[in-house]
Amino acid sequence: TSVRLAQRARIVLLAADGIQNKDIAEQLDIGRVQVARWRERYVQSRLAGIERDLPRGAPPMKVDAARLVELTTRSTP
């Protein structure tokens, strides 16, 4: 079991005991936002929600290639 998954499981178990996010965060020495994030992921997807890491970085951008070509060939930089 990974350390990350064990920590997420602790978050869920402490939440199930009725402990508030701020108290869980203090007990596990992590941020309240992190606690809230993993609690929410557990609510949405159960165990599968806490097994996977969250994607990092900005979401992928869609590029309209035709519009990009039009913009770059019809105007000066």
Side-chain angles (χ1 to χ4, degrees):
T1 307
S2 76
V3 174
R4 290 179 183 164
L5 182 57
Q7 182 180 60
R8 295 168 194 168
R10 281 190 211 104
I11 291 169
V12 171
L13 290 172
L14 290 169
D17 286 340
I19 300 175
Q20 295 182 359
N21 287 359
K22 65 181 179 126
D23 297 326
I24 295 171
E26 187 177 303
Q27 185 174 342
L28 299 179
D29 196 30
I30 57 176
R32 286 189 308 187
V33 172
Q34 186 177 0
V35 172
R37 178 186 309 132
W38 290 113
R39 285 183 71 169
E40 181 62 29
R41 289 216 30 196
Y42 181 77
V43 166
Q44 291 176 354
S45 304
R46 295 295 185 206
L47 187 56
I50 64 171
E51 286 179 323
R52 295 182 315 263
D53 286 337
L54 291 173
R56 295 181 183 259
M61 292 179 50
K62 283 188 170 183
V63 176
D64 182 356
R67 178 82 173 127
L68 181 61
V69 169
E70 179 184 335
L71 289 172
T72 57
T73 58
R74 302 246 164 106
S75 62
T76 56

